[in-house]
């Protein structure tokens, strides 16, 4: 490992490929002007040389990390991170984290300070961008669709049907818009994900689907239909994902290699299965990364979350408490960065204050509430999703 005897000295290396030149005197004799030569920092020059004699990639990783601990200039460390990100074909954020390098260089910070013309251009782009629905017309009309660079939060009690609702939005985005979708399933295996999608696409329940699967003719019909509709528009990741860093890596790879164009719609099912998010500081860090994520990839992100336990308790008088954004488990950052928050609850399971008969009459009903929408709402914020147990389809109607 190279070591140095200086701390903050600004030492730079002049690089020349002229034969016979070994010092400044030889440069003068050969008519080489130092000012005309390519200049490089001693740190960058040393690192490049180290990498040139490394024998494998793992050695490069280890030597680069050790070397950066000796570099005191934060700007040079940032330049090193960008250089290594290109060399290793890795996201620069991942390399910066690995090397413990500050996120933004001076030029990057300046580029993020947008003048009035940039702001107006972005406003025009927002006005011209088409909001895409999630599959329930009355709600889509109220929201005026969902746009790229927005985070949507769908929250509910355990067993409220959040995954089912999310997968119905996936089917709609693929069928209606031809979106490329990444589905991160931290709870269900990919077979269960495709089962739910198949029921939605074909219009049958899971019992009929299994019955048809055992029929050779129907089996082929089912598979052909699913493949025809979904095609290459969906990738399901059901293993090895525990944080937003993993989501970022998969999206970067999907954008570059998996889909014929970028990623349009991403679902995380669900946030509270991320590692360590019971710690509010970690949850806040993960939530804030989502905002950078949707802007970087220019996509819409749907995040599933759970209600906290206290929201499921009745008041002292025995009345049911209607969910609010405060019902969402964990830190406030996720609620803050969300462009929209949709709360859902099943009447049958949550409204224990109703009689058994009243609950049974609504056993297939899910209530959804648009609790937050940054762009304002056009109509009411309450909707009823009525589930058909035979077709698994849901009819959305405003709740009056």
């Amino acid at each position: 490992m190279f070591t140095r005897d200086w701390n903050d000295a600004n030492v730079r290396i002049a690089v020349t490929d002229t034969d016979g030149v070994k010092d400044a005197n030889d440069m003068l004799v050969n008519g080489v002007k130092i000012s005309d030569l390519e200049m490089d920092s001693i740190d960058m020059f040393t690192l490049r040389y180290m990498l040139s004699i490394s024998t494998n990639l793992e050695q490069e990783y280890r030597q680069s990390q050790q070397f950066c601990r000796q570099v005191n200039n934060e700007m040079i460390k940032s330049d090193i991170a960008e250089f290594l990100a290109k060399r290793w074909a890795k996201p620069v954020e991942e390399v910066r984290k690995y090397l413990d390098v500050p996120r933004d260089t001076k030029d990057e910070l300046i580029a993020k300070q947008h003048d009035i013309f940039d702001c107006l251009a972005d406003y025009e782009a927002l006005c011209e961008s088409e909001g895409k629905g999630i599959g329930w017309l009355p709600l889509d009309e109220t929201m005026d669709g969902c746009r790229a660079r927005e985070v949507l939060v769908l929250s509910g009690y355990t067993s409220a049907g959040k995954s089912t609702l999310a997968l119905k939005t996936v089917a709609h985005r693929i069928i209606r818009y031809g979106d490329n979708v990444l589905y991160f399933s931290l709870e269900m295996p990919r077979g269960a994900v495709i089962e739910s999608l198949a029921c939605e696409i074909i219009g049958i329940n899971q019992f009929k689907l299994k019955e048809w699967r055992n029929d050779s003719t129907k089996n082929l019909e089912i598979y052909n239909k699913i493949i025809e509709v979904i095609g290459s528009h969906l990738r399901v990741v059901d293993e090895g994902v525990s944080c937003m860093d993993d989501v970022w890596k998969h999206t970067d790879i999907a954008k570059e290699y998996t889909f014929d164009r970028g990623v349009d719609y991403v679902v995380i099912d669900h946030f509270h299965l991320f590692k360590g998010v019971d710690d509010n500081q970690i949850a806040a860090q993960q939530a804030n990364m989502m905002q950078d994520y949707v802007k970087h990839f220019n996509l819409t992100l749907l995040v599933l979350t759970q209600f906290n336990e206290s929201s499921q308790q009745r008041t002292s008088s025995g009345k049911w408490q209607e969910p609010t954004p405060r019902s969402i488990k964990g830190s406030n950052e996720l609620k803050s960065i969300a462009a929209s928050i949709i709360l859902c609850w099943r009447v049958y399971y949550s409204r224990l204050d109703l009689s058994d008969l009243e609950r049974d009459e609504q056993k297939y009903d899910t209530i959804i509430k648009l609790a937050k929408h940054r762009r304002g709402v056009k109509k009411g914020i309450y909707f009823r999703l009525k589930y058909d147990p035979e077709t698994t389809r849901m009819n959305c109607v405003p709740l009056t």
Side-chain angles (χ1 to χ4, degrees):
M1 175 57 63
F2 289 85
T3 57
R4 302 165 304 173
D5 296 323
W6 59 84
N7 290 319
D8 297 323
N10 183 16
V11 181
R12 299 186 71 80
I13 296 293
V15 182
T16 176
D17 58 1
T18 305
D19 292 335
V21 174
K22 64 180 183 299
D23 54 30
N25 185 62
D26 289 343
M27 294 171 75
L28 290 173
V29 171
N30 285 273
V32 178
K33 293 182 180 180
I34 294 180
S35 59
D36 293 337
L37 296 177
E38 177 187 350
M39 303 295 289
D40 206 352
S41 71
I42 183 66
D43 298 300
M44 186 67 81
F45 177 83
T46 304
L47 178 64
R48 289 181 199 273
Y49 177 75
M50 287 169 47
L51 296 179
S52 71
I53 60 176
S54 294
T55 58
N56 56 64
L57 192 57
E58 184 177 349
Q59 186 181 39
E60 286 193 19
Y61 292 157
R62 184 173 63 255
Q63 288 184 335
S64 298
Q65 187 182 52
Q66 292 172 353
F67 181 79
C68 274
R69 291 171 184 161
Q70 303 180 53
V71 180
N72 296 315
N73 189 312
E74 299 295 345
M75 290 300 184
I76 292 177
K77 286 176 72 174
S78 189
D79 289 342
I80 289 174
E82 292 184 3
F83 161 71
L84 291 174
K86 292 179 181 178
R87 180 182 178 89
W88 297 336
K90 299 280 187 183
V92 68
E93 292 295 332
E94 181 181 342
V95 176
R96 282 172 176 159
K97 183 177 179 180
Y98 176 69
L99 300 177
D100 192 22
V101 175
R103 291 178 55 190
D104 296 307
T105 65
K106 177 186 69 175
D107 290 341
E108 288 172 329
L109 289 172
I110 291 174
K112 292 178 180 179
Q113 298 173 8
H114 302 286
D115 61 20
I116 183 61
F117 301 104
D118 283 345
C119 295
L120 287 171
D122 194 60
Y123 170 72
E124 287 296 325
L126 286 174
C127 290
E128 292 175 5
S129 63
E130 178 189 2
K132 295 180 179 179
I134 56 176
W136 298 295
L137 186 58
L139 176 61
D140 289 336
E141 289 178 342
T142 293
M143 298 174 65
D144 195 24
C146 308
R147 293 174 177 168
R149 297 186 290 170
E150 289 186 340
V151 177
L152 282 68
V153 171
L154 173 62
S155 190
Y157 301 114
T158 301
S159 301
K162 299 182 295 294
S163 297
T164 299
L165 295 178
L167 286 165
K168 289 181 181 298
T169 73
V170 168
H172 178 76
R173 297 289 292 234
I174 292 174
I175 295 170
R176 174 67 176 82
Y177 303 105
D179 277 0
N180 289 333
V181 179
L182 267 177
Y183 193 95
F184 293 94
S185 180
L186 282 70
E187 191 170 32
M188 296 191 301
R190 54 190 177 274
V193 170
I194 203 66
E195 177 187 52
S196 185
L197 282 172
C199 290
E200 175 66 16
I201 291 168
I202 300 171
I204 57 176
N205 60 37
Q206 69 270 33
F207 306 110
K208 179 64 72 174
L209 182 66
K210 290 177 181 177
E211 180 185 322
W212 285 12
R213 176 187 168 277
N214 294 325
D215 182 308
S216 58
T217 303
K218 289 289 187 181
N219 182 292
L220 184 61
E221 181 182 328
I222 290 169
Y223 280 38
N224 285 341
K225 182 64 175 178
I226 296 170
I227 293 170
E228 176 190 351
V229 171
I230 294 178
S232 60
H233 291 288
L234 174 69
R235 291 294 186 277
V236 178
V237 182
D238 64 346
E239 55 190 337
V241 175
S242 62
C243 61
M244 279 305 299
D245 280 332
D246 295 331
V247 172
W248 194 296
K249 291 176 192 175
H250 275 287
T251 309
D252 208 34
I253 292 296
K255 176 185 176 183
E256 191 71 23
Y257 302 106
T258 305
F259 295 121
D260 57 354
R261 51 183 174 78
V263 182
D264 304 298
Y265 190 62
V266 174
V267 179
I268 297 175
D269 182 11
H270 60 79
F271 178 73
H272 291 110
L273 289 177
F274 273 178
K275 185 177 180 180
V277 293
D278 286 339
D279 182 322
N280 281 346
Q281 186 174 354
I282 295 176
Q285 183 266 336
Q286 293 295 302
N288 287 326
M289 193 172 178
M290 289 178 184
Q291 197 164 36
D292 293 336
Y293 169 79
V294 295
K295 291 179 180 178
H296 179 82
F297 290 105
N298 194 38
L299 53 76
T300 303
L301 171 64
L302 175 64
V303 185
L304 277 57
T305 68
Q306 290 186 325
F307 288 162
N308 53 50
E309 292 182 5
S310 62
S311 69
Q312 303 182 47
Q313 300 173 359
R314 300 190 197 185
T315 64
S316 57
S317 61
K319 292 184 178 180
W320 174 74
Q321 301 181 80
E322 180 180 309
T324 70
R326 295 182 62 183
S327 305
I328 299 175
K329 181 180 178 182
S331 68
N332 290 321
E333 275 74 11
L334 185 58
K335 307 162 202 175
S336 299
I337 63 102
S340 305
I341 296 177
I342 300 172
L343 307 179
C344 67
W345 61 90
R346 296 275 301 277
V347 175
Y348 183 81
Y349 293 109
S350 60
R351 293 298 305 274
L352 301 180
D353 56 315
L354 300 177
S355 69
D356 290 344
L357 180 60
E358 289 175 308
R359 288 171 55 222
D360 192 63
E361 289 175 346
Q362 303 179 71
K363 65 180 178 181
Y364 293 125
D365 290 4
T366 298
I367 306 301
I368 56 175
K369 172 185 176 182
L370 184 58
K372 175 186 176 182
H373 191 54
R374 191 166 288 155
R375 289 184 277 116
V377 297
K378 294 182 176 180
K379 299 179 181 179
I381 63 171
Y382 293 92
F383 304 86
R384 184 188 302 274
L385 295 177
K386 191 165 281 293
Y387 176 79
D388 184 332
E390 295 299 319
T391 67
T392 72
R393 300 279 168 75
M394 284 183 165
N395 182 37
C396 179
V397 295
L399 189 63
T400 56

